[in-house]
């Protein structure tokens, strides 16, 4: 058994600076963006301490650099893969522009496939054929440019009819997103679910099951049944802001991580935070050192920002558990596969790459939405076929290496959305009078069953992350929530000012 010790430290500040000491727990995009904004406060009012339980910062920790021995192509692969549009990710892309990190445009060909499987005790066993056309029933580069090939089932007449059917359904759905707003219950102040919205606009079920939900399920990495429970407003907003937008790859994640932590000296790696507790006018943090010693350390800060998933926040900060523990989460697995088992190799893991990388703009790339249909579950995996020849697969299930070799595996936690969890997030984070269900100050927080509900900022503890905004759980939420914390701390957001100018 590892030796356990306790080290307690009180807030320290010099008479010259009298800085407010802020602990940011978590080093994903939300945590790093928050640390960057507070550290670069023009009045230098904050000392930022960054806590991360792993031995490396998490934003770029799972990424790898791959090299194809035959073609010489070298590329940096972000794990999980990240692609954005300026329409839905305005704050993220402005931050990239402000930090002078380029975004690379990409042109996808989307393949829709149905895969067969057998059941196991832990869930479906999915055959892992690396052939991109395995089970494919439709493909297109853009909706008006279908890929018709003899490799697909059915003749050209059937494929032409399917293309017309999908074009009409897609235009119908997009028009509905622009013209028909999701409903909100006045009594419960909850939004309409995607299931009810799709039923109300009378969109054909075949289009929903075989084309709409596979694409959304690959983005959100959840089952189709879980997608049906999403707030319709999330999907409608995503579709309207992404329509006719150019897609970019965020290749420079390693550069982004370096620039966001530039100047932040108090970085504590291998520190797993086990408790956050209000003590007097400060906030106590207790953490366990992950060096095998089992040493328990404690320190008091003036403010704390929890840049973690809601289940982790609920576990370490008791006042938030009543609300956050009910927000659903799910595990996902990202796997990098070499289908040739010999051509592609990992050059570097979790660090900035060296040498010249593949950087062609607007290059074509295959993305396969491979859906497993059954009475028990309908689940879509995303298979991203990379320029180096490797494949990045994102799924809730582990990869069974029937074809190719596994080069790299990473595990993540995905926060899911429901109409109920949306209401919770609005109450505890979106405390603006214009936000449905929101309160204006912590003291005006909503109560439930006679119990005062914790909100972000109360007890000098804030939350931030991809789930801490009113939208899909994607990177834009990380930046928006970091900007909200900066606003509440009175810190200027530089990319917002540069955009307004």
């Amino acid at each position: 058994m590892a030796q356990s010790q306790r080290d307690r430290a009180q807030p320290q500040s010099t008479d010259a600076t009298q800085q407010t000491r802020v602990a940011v727990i978590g080093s994903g995009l939300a945590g790093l963006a928050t640390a960057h904004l507070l550290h670069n406060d023009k009045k230098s009012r904050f000392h930022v301490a960054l806590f991360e339980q792993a031995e490396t910062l998490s934003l770029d920790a799972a990424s790898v650099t791959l090299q194809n021995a035959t073609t010489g192509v070298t590329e940096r692969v972000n794990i999980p893969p990240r692609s954005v549009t300026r329409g839905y990710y305005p704050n993220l892309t402005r931050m990239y522009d402000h930090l002078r990190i380029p975004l690379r445009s990409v042109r996808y060909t989307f393949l829709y496939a149905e895969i067969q499987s057998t059941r196991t005790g832990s869930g479906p066993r999915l055959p892992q054929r690396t052939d991109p056309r395995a089970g494919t029933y439709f493909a297109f580069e853009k909706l008006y440019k279908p890929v018709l090939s003899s490799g697909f089932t059915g003749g050209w007449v059937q494929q032409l009819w399917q293309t017309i059917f999908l074009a009409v359904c897609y235009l119908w759905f997009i028009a509905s997103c622009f013209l028909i707003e999701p409903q909100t219950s006045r009594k419960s102040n909850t939004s309409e679910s995607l299931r009810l919205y799709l039923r109300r606009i009378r969109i054909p079920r075949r289009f929903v099951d075989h084309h709409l939900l596979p694409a959304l399920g690959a983005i959100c990495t959840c089952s189709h049944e879980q997608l049906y429970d999403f707030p319709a407003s999330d999907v409608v907003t995503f579709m309207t802001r992404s329509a006719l937008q150019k897609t970019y790859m965020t290749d420079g994640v390693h550069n982004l991580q370096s620039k966001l932590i530039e100047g932040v000296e108090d970085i504590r790696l291998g520190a797993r935070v086990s408790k956050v507790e209000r003590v007097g006018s400060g906030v106590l943090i207790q953490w366990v050192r992950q060096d095998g010693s089992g040493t328990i350390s404690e320190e008091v800060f003036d403010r704390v920002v929890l840049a973690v998933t809601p289940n982790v926040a609920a576990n370490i900060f008791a006042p938030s558990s009543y609300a956050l523990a009910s927000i659903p989460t799910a595990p996902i697995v990202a796997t990098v596969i070499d289908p040739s088992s010999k051509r592609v190799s990992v050059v570097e893991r979790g660090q900035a790459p060296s040498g010249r990388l593949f950087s062609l703009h607007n290059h074509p790339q295959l993305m396969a939405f491979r859906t497993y249909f059954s009475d028990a579950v309908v689940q879509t995996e995303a298979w991203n076929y990379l320029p180096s020849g490797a494949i990045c697969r994102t799924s809730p299930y582990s990869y069974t290496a029937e074809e190719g070799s596994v080069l790299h595996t990473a595990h993540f936690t995905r926060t899911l959305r429901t109409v109920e969890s949306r209401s919770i997030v609005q109450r505890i984070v979106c405390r603006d009078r214009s936000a449905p269900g929101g309160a204006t100050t912590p003291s005006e927080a909503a109560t439930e069953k006679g119990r005062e509900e914790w909100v972000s900022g109360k007890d000098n503890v804030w939350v931030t992350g991809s789930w801490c905004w009113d939208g899909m759980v994607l990177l834009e939420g990380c930046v928006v929530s970091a900007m909200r914390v900066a606003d509440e701390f009175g810190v200027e957001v530089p990319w917002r000012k540069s955009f307004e100018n």
Side-chain angles (χ1 to χ4, degrees):
M1 181 179 297
Q3 182 181 4
S4 177
Q5 301 174 351
R6 288 183 180 269
D7 300 325
R8 179 185 289 267
Q10 297 295 326
Q12 297 177 2
S13 58
T14 63
D15 294 337
T17 61
Q18 290 295 318
Q19 289 181 312
T20 298
R21 302 180 73 249
V22 182
V24 177
I25 301 172
S27 63
L29 178 57
L32 296 187
T34 303
H36 173 82
L37 289 170
L38 300 184
H39 174 75
N40 289 281
D41 172 44
K42 289 186 176 181
K43 298 180 182 179
S44 300
R45 292 169 292 174
F46 304 98
H47 171 86
V48 178
L50 186 62
F51 286 80
E52 169 56 50
Q53 67 175 352
E55 295 300 330
T56 58
L57 297 175
S58 67
L59 178 60
D60 193 44
S63 301
V64 293
T65 303
L66 304 178
Q67 185 173 50
N68 187 302
T70 303
T71 64
V73 170
T74 302
E75 65 174 325
R76 183 69 168 177
V77 180
N78 295 323
I79 307 295
R82 302 173 176 100
S83 59
V84 301
T85 62
R86 290 189 179 273
Y88 192 75
Y89 299 82
N91 295 287
L92 174 71
T93 52
R94 289 173 202 162
M95 182 180 70
Y96 265 81
D97 294 341
H98 171 75
L99 297 173
R100 301 184 184 278
I101 301 175
L103 295 168
R104 173 170 59 85
S105 60
V106 61
R107 186 177 72 253
Y108 280 112
T109 295
F110 297 102
L111 308 180
Y112 289 82
E114 181 175 352
I115 54 179
Q116 303 297 322
S117 71
T118 57
R119 301 288 300 177
T120 66
S122 59
R125 180 177 180 273
L126 307 179
Q128 311 297 342
R129 292 187 59 190
T130 57
D131 177 5
R133 294 178 181 266
T136 300
Y137 53 84
F138 195 74
F140 65 87
E141 290 184 9
K142 297 180 181 178
L143 187 70
Y144 53 81
K145 190 176 180 182
V147 179
L148 301 181
S149 168
S150 60
F152 303 110
T153 58
W156 70 269
V157 174
Q158 181 180 352
Q159 293 180 27
L160 180 60
W161 167 248
Q162 187 179 27
T163 301
I164 296 173
F165 168 77
L166 292 178
V168 171
C169 290
Y170 181 80
L171 292 175
W172 182 356
F173 177 66
I174 290 296
S176 299
C177 289
F178 278 99
L179 299 175
I180 304 176
E181 293 185 2
Q183 297 177 342
T184 300
S185 170
R186 292 185 178 181
K187 183 177 181 180
S188 61
N189 208 22
T190 56
S191 62
E192 185 177 26
S193 70
L194 180 60
R195 184 194 306 275
L196 295 178
Y197 181 79
L198 294 174
R199 186 180 301 166
R200 186 159 60 91
I201 65 175
R202 299 182 181 277
I203 199 78
R205 182 65 181 267
R206 177 166 178 79
F207 171 76
V208 172
D209 289 345
H210 288 78
H211 297 274
L212 178 60
L213 294 187
L216 294 174
I219 294 170
C220 301
T221 324
C222 63
S223 71
H224 292 196
E225 189 63 27
Q226 290 168 328
L227 271 174
Y228 273 127
D229 293 334
F230 270 44
S233 58
D234 284 11
V235 177
V236 167
T237 303
F238 179 81
M239 297 302 296
T240 54
R241 294 183 181 178
S242 301
L244 302 179
Q245 292 281 315
K246 184 180 290 186
T247 302
Y248 297 92
M249 296 293 293
T250 56
D251 289 335
V253 171
H254 55 283
N255 291 332
L256 176 63
Q257 178 173 281
S258 299
K259 291 191 176 184
L260 289 178
I261 64 169
E262 187 174 350
V264 180
E265 297 180 353
D266 191 355
I267 300 177
R268 310 186 189 190
L269 301 175
R272 182 179 61 82
V273 174
S274 56
K275 184 173 70 174
V276 175
E277 183 180 41
R278 176 72 181 267
V279 289
S281 60
V283 184
L284 173 72
I285 290 183
Q286 181 183 99
W287 72 95
V288 181
R289 296 176 184 174
Q290 302 293 86
D291 56 3
S293 66
T295 301
I296 299 175
S297 300
E298 294 180 346
E299 191 167 343
V300 177
F301 291 84
D302 299 306
R303 302 177 184 179
V304 171
V305 179
L306 304 176
V308 294
T309 54
N311 58 318
V312 173
N315 187 50
I316 64 177
F317 182 55
S320 72
S321 62
Y322 184 72
L324 298 188
S326 60
I327 297 179
T329 60
I332 64 173
V333 183
T335 312
V336 180
I337 307 160
D338 173 19
S340 68
S341 298
K342 57 184 177 181
R343 275 203 320 244
V344 185
S345 61
V346 175
V347 180
E348 291 164 326
R349 300 176 187 267
Q351 56 182 318
S354 58
R356 186 175 180 274
L357 296 183
F358 179 85
S359 59
L360 179 64
H361 281 266
N362 204 32
H363 75 281
Q365 192 162 319
L366 286 176
M367 173 72 77
F369 302 141
R370 307 180 70 176
T371 305
Y372 162 71
F373 293 93
S374 79
D375 294 335
V377 64
V378 182
Q379 174 73 53
T380 298
E381 301 178 340
W383 288 56
N384 195 345
Y385 291 77
L386 306 170
S388 64
I391 302 168
C392 185
R393 168 188 174 271
T394 308
S395 171
Y397 305 115
S398 299
Y399 177 71
T400 303
E402 295 183 359
E403 292 187 13
S405 58
V406 175
L407 302 178
H408 181 65
T409 300
H411 297 264
F412 303 92
T413 298
R414 169 74 75 182
T415 302
L416 304 179
R417 291 273 282 181
T418 65
V419 293
E420 293 81 10
S421 70
R422 179 187 185 227
S423 296
I424 293 172
V425 171
Q426 286 177 325
R427 292 198 302 269
I428 67 172
V429 177
C430 305
R431 301 193 316 277
D432 184 88
R433 291 188 185 276
S434 62
T440 55
T441 65
S443 62
E444 296 172 338
T447 60
E448 189 171 342
K449 295 181 180 180
R451 170 177 181 165
E452 185 176 4
E453 190 173 41
W454 179 85
V455 297
S456 181
K458 187 179 180 182
D459 299 321
N460 286 334
V461 177
W462 282 257
V463 289
T464 183
S466 58
W467 58 276
C468 295
W469 75 312
D470 191 23
M472 301 272 271
V473 183
L474 299 171
L475 293 179
E476 178 72 2
C478 295
V479 182
V480 170
S481 58
M483 293 168 63
R484 181 182 292 115
V485 170
D487 290 341
E488 295 188 18
F489 282 33
V491 175
E492 181 182 283
V493 179
W495 50 85
R496 178 191 290 151
K497 182 178 179 180
S498 61
F499 175 77
E500 292 172 350
N501 292 340

